[in-house]
Amino acid sequence: MCCLPTPIHRLDWLSGRLQVDLWIKRDDLTGFAFGGNKGRKLEYILADAIASRAEVITSCGASQSNFVRQLGAACARFGIECHAAVMDCPYEGIPGEGTRLLNHSGNILLDHLFGVKLHRYADSTWDDLYARTEEISKSLEKSGKRVYRVPVGGSCPLGAYSFWEAARELRAQTQDRFDYVVMASSSGSTHVGLHAGLKDWANVIGIAADPEPEIVEDFAELSQGLSLLYPSIPTLSAGEFELKGSYVGKGYSILDEVTLATIMLVAEEEGIILDPVYTGKAMTGLMDLVQTGEIGGRILFWHTGGTPTVFAVPKWPGDGS
Ligand SMILES: *Cc1c(COP(=O)(O)O)cnc(C)c1O
């Protein structure tokens, strides 16, 4: 499904502006169904689902989930039915308040085109969303279907494994190491796989998309799962993950002005589209970490995709329409 390896190239304008040597890994160009980091995970997850003769795949996420969109396309490709439980802005603890993405257009339109069966619920906690997803799986099983369950964001050990492989892909693309690799981090398999695969080679920094510092405990658990699957891959403890929580803004999938300004700057100066939920926040974090002197030198920004959600931003600054 994916077009690999994805290219890496230098960001000349931003390098000059930030006075660093800044490069980008273009996982927005994984190719399949508008690209993004989830395509890598799905290569392995779909292979496993097909091997277990799944008739239906169930998963969940935000309504504008990039994972559900790419999963839906992969299921279409292999003739598997796809069901996803979604809420516009699921939350941990207290709901995030602020401007939201539109609940049509963007990924939701694409889900529709791929034939995903979306089960939409009013906003509630992530745990409620997981419980709904399990209800859907159980009722499909009751009707006699063989169901394959995929956790939110594709963050199962196989998903993390795909990013261990992606780390090898990057290392084969460049003679020189990077001082830092920075990317958006949420359900964890991107962060876990890259950290494991780049541990001895670069400092990996995740910029959180969720206001949940404890999420690193889930990352450690995922890392254990990955090592169980492939014992040669080192297990990482919660304390080893560098996850920066200061750029989330008002909550998961809640829009903020700073992020939109970053997206517009990178679009105008580099011709590259970032997204409002993950990569826009991650680039805001990268620029701030450079400006405060926390990171520097040769830096790689891992673009994880998400670009369809720019069409679900209700209003861009300066847009009179
Ligand atoms: C899902 C996603 C992430 C986060 O990846 P995880 O593996 O879930 O941590 C980052 N960026 C984009 C665009 C995504 O869709």
Side-chain angles (χ1 to χ4, degrees):
M1 295 179 278
C2 288
C3 308
L4 301 177
T6 56
I8 64 167
H9 62 83
R10 193 166 185 273
L11 294 173
D12 290 332
W13 186 89
L14 269 173
S15 291
R17 158 123 171 196
L18 297 170
Q19 295 295 298
V20 291
D21 188 19
L22 179 61
W23 290 66
I24 187 167
K25 175 78 167 154
R26 299 294 302 273
D27 270 11
D28 54 324
L29 303 181
T30 52
F32 187 67
F34 284 86
N37 66 335
K38 306 305 182 318
R40 291 185 185 271
K41 308 183 193 187
L42 288 165
E43 292 283 346
Y44 296 91
I45 293 170
L46 260 284
D48 191 50
I50 291 164
S52 57
R53 296 185 297 130
E55 294 164 308
V56 185
I57 294 183
T58 57
S59 192
C60 63
S63 306
Q64 286 289 357
S65 166
N66 298 302
F67 180 64
V68 170
R69 176 241 316 166
Q70 288 188 275
L71 173 68
C75 286
R77 162 83 175 71
F78 292 102
I80 298 173
E81 204 175 305
C82 180
H83 287 253
V86 299
M87 295 174 180
D88 289 346
C89 286
Y91 53 84
E92 188 78 20
I94 42 165
E97 278 183 40
T99 312
R100 288 143 174 257
L101 293 171
L102 300 175
N103 61 10
H104 57 89
S105 182
N107 283 314
I108 298 171
L109 166 68
L110 297 171
D111 292 345
H112 179 63
L113 297 180
F114 295 134
V116 177
K117 310 272 187 301
L118 280 185
H119 302 250
R120 303 184 72 163
Y121 300 99
D123 283 354
S124 182
T125 61
W126 285 103
D127 282 343
D128 271 349
L129 183 59
Y130 302 151
R132 298 289 194 180
T133 315
E134 187 50 31
E135 282 168 18
I136 295 166
S137 301
K138 290 235 168 76
S139 94
L140 286 160
E141 279 170 343
K142 253 202 189 137
S143 72
K145 298 224 160 106
R146 205 172 359 253
V147 176
Y148 186 95
R149 295 162 169 81
V150 180
V152 67
S155 280
C156 49
L158 281 173
Y161 178 74
S162 73
F163 272 93
W164 159 268
E165 283 290 340
R168 288 161 48 118
E169 178 184 299
L170 170 68
R171 291 168 74 142
Q173 281 178 309
T174 171
Q175 302 290 320
D176 305 315
R177 293 178 183 211
F178 286 97
D179 296 303
Y180 296 92
V181 170
V182 179
M183 77 285 154
S185 179
S186 179
S187 67
S189 43
T190 304
H191 199 159
V192 167
L194 286 182
H195 194 134
L198 299 174
K199 203 170 147 67
D200 54 338
W201 195 81
N203 295 296
V204 175
I205 300 181
I207 309 291
D210 312 75
E212 267 181 75
E214 333 68 63
I215 209 166
V216 290
E217 303 290 340
D218 298 347
F219 291 10
E221 204 174 300
L222 184 57
S223 171
Q224 278 179 5
L226 176 59
S227 301
L228 236 99
L229 199 60
Y230 296 99
S232 63
I233 301 179
T235 311
L236 305 165
S237 62
E240 280 179 86
F241 294 102
E242 266 229 63
L243 182 68
K244 303 285 185 193
S246 333
Y247 309 101
V248 176
K250 290 179 190 146
Y252 173 73
S253 199
I254 305 287
L255 303 185
D256 64 83
E257 295 302 313
V258 181
T259 304
L260 295 185
T262 299
I263 296 172
M264 291 174 79
L265 178 75
V266 174
E268 276 172 19
E269 302 296 346
E270 297 284 359
I272 289 173
I273 299 296
L274 301 175
D275 83 282
V277 182
Y278 302 97
T279 54
K281 291 179 179 177
M283 182 59 91
T284 299
L286 184 154
M287 294 194 301
D288 186 60
L289 292 171
V290 170
Q291 277 155 356
T292 56
E294 211 174 309
I295 66 172
R298 188 170 145 85
I299 304 171
L300 180 92
F301 178 72
W302 198 297
H303 192 329
T304 45
T307 50
T309 53
V310 295
F311 302 108
V313 172
K315 190 168 179 4
W316 287 90
D319 172 7
S321 63

